[in-house]
């Protein structure tokens, strides 16, 4: 695809985002942090689909079908009870306490160290996670635009452009703007998948019913696996899906900030319940695309890439399915990456202002200025981390860093579980050693499980182990006092 077409797509896309920012942006902390609690629940629910599916997911989920069939649906089904816990247990707590940052609960329940530790673990996770996703986008931008046009520019240039574009449309309205930009991003992601499926259906000459039968009767459509030592085992994936949802939605400022922008707890619950059901069908759509891509490649004699998650980009970008698919793929990829990155920038700004700087202690006229300075500061930090990833220049190391960031959600799971399901207080000064030890021990268990437990491999359920170790550690430092 011509780099000029990519530039035109980017310009048009961000032009629309800036227009949305202009009409929804409101230069106040109340709008930036919680959207003035005026967001329509159905807009939040639709936009959260895009935010929950990153650029990595957009590309990788169809590719997983080759090795794992539809086994990912087992985890997706586990999301449903997880979202129920978020909707019925955690969100009512956050609304009752009138929280801006969800980690303020830890201060009131345990003390200052637990509060700062919880916020710090989130900040670390989100900085690494957002940087990893934007690193991939910057690489595509450098290759598809600058190198194709013959410009030899340092990698830092596309990185700065990428971050600057996000900063421009989030700098005023923050979460109030993102609620609406997420709807656009979700639309483009879904259109990219739907248009691809339609073009493959046209190639096979199938209607909807025939296409569905083709997928169901293929070798790729098996959903349930019950072999204990299989990484695709139903029970471990279902449980992992439930707990991952609790920690990566219910205990994550990024995702919860959107829910806290709803008018009241009733609308927030409706948003969460409708979003959770819709997400099941959206993931089924992605997996169906994956099955069709593999069948299409087989029928056309296309060699499957060694990295199967490159199959969707290769077929889309090399023109096999026509120019429209290539265009929508680029838009979908941009949307997938930015829908998670822009809300991360806003959530990082919110958490740092509220949890680290305690912005409420400052006089009201200063708060807006502090928030703007932090927003710029977080943007600079993301640029530095992305450039550092490039300096490492080792994809496996960078992927390990991204995976390691996921280990920081286990301590949050343990902290909140201990706070909600026990009445014990803790010796707050000892909380840091516990929260650092739990992820390290979890990593050791995951790395050695195959040898220690007769071939059993620890997968996504490591978050449960991590949370349990944190809970045990907190029991060891519990105080004689109860709430």
């Amino acid at each position: 695809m011509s780099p000029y077409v990519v530039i035109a797509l980017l310009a048009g896309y961000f032009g629309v985002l800036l227009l949305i920012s202009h009409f929804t942006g409101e230069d106040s902390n109340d709008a930036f942090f919680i959207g003035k609690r005026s967001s329509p629940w159905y807009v939040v629910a639709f936009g959260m689909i895009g935010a929950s599916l990153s650029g990595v997911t957009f590309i990788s989920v169809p590719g997983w079908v080759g090795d794992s069939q539809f086994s990912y649906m087992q985890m997706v089904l586990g999301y449903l009870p997880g979202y129920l816990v978020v909707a019925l247990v955690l969100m009512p707590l956050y609304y009752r306490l009138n929280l801006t940052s969800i980690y303020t609960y830890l201060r009131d329940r345990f003390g200052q160290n637990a509060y700062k530790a919880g916020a710090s673990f989130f900040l670390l996770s989100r900085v690494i996670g957002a940087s990893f996703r934007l690193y991939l986008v910057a690489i595509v931008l450098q290759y598809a635009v600058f190198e194709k046009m013959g410009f030899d520019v340092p990698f830092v240039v596309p990185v700065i452009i990428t971050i600057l574009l996000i900063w421009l449309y989030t700098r005023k309205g923050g979460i109030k703007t993102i609620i609406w930009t997420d709807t656009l991003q979700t639309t483009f992601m879904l259109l990219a998948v739907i248009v691809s499926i339609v073009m493959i259906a046209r190639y096979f000459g199938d209607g909807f019913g025939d296409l569905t039968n083709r997928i169901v009767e293929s070798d790729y459509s098996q959903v349930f696996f019950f072999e204990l030592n299989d990484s695709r085992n139903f029970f471990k994936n279902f449980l992992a899906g439930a707990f991952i949802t609790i920690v990566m939605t219910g205990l994550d400022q990024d995702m919860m900030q959107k829910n806290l922008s709803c008018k009241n707890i009733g609308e927030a619950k409706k948003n969460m319940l409708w979003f959770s059901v819709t997400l099941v069908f959206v993931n089924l759509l992605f997996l169906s695309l994956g099955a069709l891509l593999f069948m299409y490649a087989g029928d056309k004699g296309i060699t499957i890439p060694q990295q199967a998650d490159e199959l969707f980009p290769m077929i889309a970008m090399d023109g096999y399915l026509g120019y429209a698919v290539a265009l929508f793929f680029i838009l979908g990829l941009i949307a997938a990456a930015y829908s998670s990155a822009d809300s991360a920038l806003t959530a990082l700004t919110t958490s740092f202002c509220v949890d680290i700087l305690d912005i409420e202690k400052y006089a009201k006229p200063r708060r807006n200025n502090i928030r703007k300075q932090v927003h710029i500061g977080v943007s600079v930090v993301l640029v530095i981390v992305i450039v550092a990833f490039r300096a490492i220049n080792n994809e496996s190391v960078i992927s390990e860093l991204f995976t390691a960031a996921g280990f920081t959600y286990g301590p949050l799971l343990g902290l909140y579980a201990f706070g909600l399901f026990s009445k014990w207080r803790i010796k707050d000064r000892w909380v840091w050693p516990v929260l650092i030890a739990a992820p390290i021990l979890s990593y050791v268990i995951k790395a050695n499980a195959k040898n220690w437990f007769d071939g059993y491999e620890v997968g996504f359920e490591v978050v449960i182990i991590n949370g349990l170790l944190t809970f045990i550690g907190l029991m060891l430092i519990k105080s004689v006092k109860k709430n």
Side-chain angles (χ1 to χ4, degrees):
M1 181 180 290
S2 165
Y4 299 101
V5 174
V6 176
I7 291 172
L9 284 173
L10 283 167
Y13 181 77
F14 282 102
V16 175
L17 292 182
L18 287 170
L19 273 175
I20 293 173
S21 174
H22 174 74
F23 288 110
T24 62
E26 188 174 325
D27 196 8
S28 72
N29 285 352
D30 195 31
F32 192 98
F33 292 154
I34 55 173
K36 302 190 78 173
R37 291 241 160 93
S38 61
S39 303
W41 68 267
Y42 46 88
V43 176
V44 178
F46 185 71
M48 280 182 67
I49 295 169
S52 66
L53 298 169
S54 69
V56 180
T57 306
F58 178 74
I59 293 173
S60 296
V61 168
W64 290 346
V65 172
D67 291 328
S68 303
Q69 291 82 52
F70 276 30
S71 62
Y72 181 61
M73 281 303 296
Q74 299 174 128
M75 183 173 286
V76 173
L77 293 173
Y79 293 168
L80 292 173
Y83 285 124
L84 276 176
V85 172
V86 175
L88 302 179
V89 178
L90 292 173
M91 289 202 309
L93 172 70
Y94 301 150
Y95 269 87
R96 186 172 71 250
L97 298 176
N98 196 30
L99 301 183
T100 299
S101 166
I102 63 174
Y103 307 115
T104 311
Y105 163 76
L106 298 175
R107 179 192 63 197
D108 300 336
R109 177 65 177 84
F110 296 122
Q112 199 71 8
N113 281 308
Y115 171 44
K116 298 296 183 185
S120 299
F121 272 65
F122 162 74
L123 290 167
L124 175 64
S125 301
R126 265 294 175 256
V127 165
I128 294 175
S131 298
F132 178 75
R133 294 179 180 103
L134 289 171
Y135 167 73
L136 299 178
V137 174
I139 288 175
V140 171
L141 187 62
Q142 187 178 40
Y143 170 74
V145 177
F146 292 107
E147 289 185 12
K148 289 278 189 180
M149 294 177 70
F151 295 127
D152 184 18
V153 300
F155 181 67
V156 71
V157 173
V159 173
I160 291 174
I161 291 172
T162 300
I163 300 295
L164 180 62
L165 288 169
I166 295 176
W167 178 83
L168 281 172
Y169 72 83
T170 61
R171 66 191 178 91
K172 285 176 64 179
I175 200 67
K176 191 172 190 293
T177 295
I178 284 170
I179 294 301
W180 293 95
T181 58
D182 274 357
T183 62
L184 178 71
Q185 291 159 337
T186 299
T187 301
F188 279 127
M189 284 181 64
L190 295 179
L191 279 175
V193 176
I194 292 168
V195 170
S196 300
I197 289 175
V198 168
M199 296 308 292
I200 294 174
R202 287 181 62 184
Y203 169 80
F204 284 120
D206 289 342
F208 178 77
D210 293 331
L211 194 70
T212 303
N213 289 333
R214 183 183 294 274
I215 295 168
V216 171
E217 293 168 5
S218 73
D219 296 332
Y220 302 106
S221 62
Q222 184 175 347
V223 175
F224 299 106
F225 297 80
F226 294 101
E227 176 63 37
L228 182 62
N229 287 341
D230 192 333
S231 61
R232 300 168 296 181
N233 175 270
F234 169 76
F235 298 104
K236 62 193 288 188
N237 278 276
F238 184 84
L239 284 173
F243 279 93
I244 284 171
T245 296
I246 292 168
V247 298
M248 297 192 74
T249 300
L251 306 182
D252 185 287
Q253 176 66 24
D254 188 352
M255 296 299 283
M256 278 295 97
Q257 195 162 353
K258 297 177 175 68
N259 290 277
L260 293 174
S261 72
C262 291
K263 296 176 183 177
N264 52 56
I265 183 58
E267 296 219 340
K269 284 181 179 179
K270 279 195 286 188
N271 149 59
M272 183 58 64
L273 295 174
W274 277 102
F275 158 70
S276 63
V277 173
T278 305
L279 195 61
V280 172
F281 292 100
V282 169
N283 277 287
L284 186 60
L285 193 68
F286 270 87
L287 290 169
S288 298
L289 172 62
L292 291 170
L293 287 169
F294 278 97
M295 286 187 277
Y296 176 81
D299 197 72
K300 292 276 288 184
I302 299 169
T303 302
I304 306 296
Q306 189 172 1
Q307 297 291 330
D309 57 3
E310 295 175 6
L311 181 62
F312 186 23
M314 182 184 76
I315 289 177
M317 294 300 293
D318 287 355
Y320 287 103
L321 296 174
Y323 204 67
V325 171
L327 288 173
F328 278 108
F329 176 81
I330 287 290
L331 284 170
L333 180 61
I334 294 167
Y338 281 94
S339 63
S340 54
D342 56 13
S343 58
L345 179 58
T346 302
L348 287 166
T349 301
T350 300
S351 181
F352 196 85
C353 286
V354 175
D355 302 321
I356 306 302
L357 298 182
D358 191 13
I359 196 170
E360 291 299 318
K361 72 182 181 185
Y362 295 96
K364 199 165 187 179
R366 281 202 61 196
R367 294 176 194 168
N368 265 12
N369 289 332
I370 291 171
R371 185 253 303 164
K372 290 175 183 177
Q373 291 165 7
V374 171
H375 195 217
I376 293 171
V378 171
S379 301
V380 172
V381 168
L382 291 178
V383 170
I384 293 169
V385 175
I386 295 168
V387 172
F389 281 174
R390 184 66 166 187
I392 292 170
N393 198 28
N394 186 318
E395 286 187 17
S396 62
V397 172
I398 296 166
S399 296
E400 283 295 319
L401 282 171
F402 180 61
T403 303
F407 279 87
T408 59
Y409 284 102
L412 288 172
L413 175 62
L415 271 171
Y416 277 84
F418 194 86
L420 290 168
F421 301 117
S422 83
K423 293 185 178 180
W424 294 101
R425 299 193 66 83
I426 59 172
K427 297 171 184 173
D428 189 46
R429 67 183 181 276
W430 292 104
V431 74
W432 276 101
V434 169
L435 299 193
I436 292 170
I440 294 172
L441 289 173
S442 301
Y443 179 82
V444 171
I445 292 170
K446 179 177 169 62
N448 294 282
K450 198 170 182 178
N451 294 326
W452 290 352
F453 306 117
D454 193 28
Y456 180 87
E457 291 187 56
V458 174
F460 293 112
E461 72 273 21
V462 71
V463 71
I464 304 173
I465 297 169
N466 199 346
L468 181 60
L469 289 172
T470 303
F471 194 97
I472 294 169
L474 294 173
M475 284 295 293
L476 295 175
I477 62 168
K478 72 178 187 293
S479 170
V480 293
K481 295 179 181 178
K482 288 187 178 182
N483 276 349

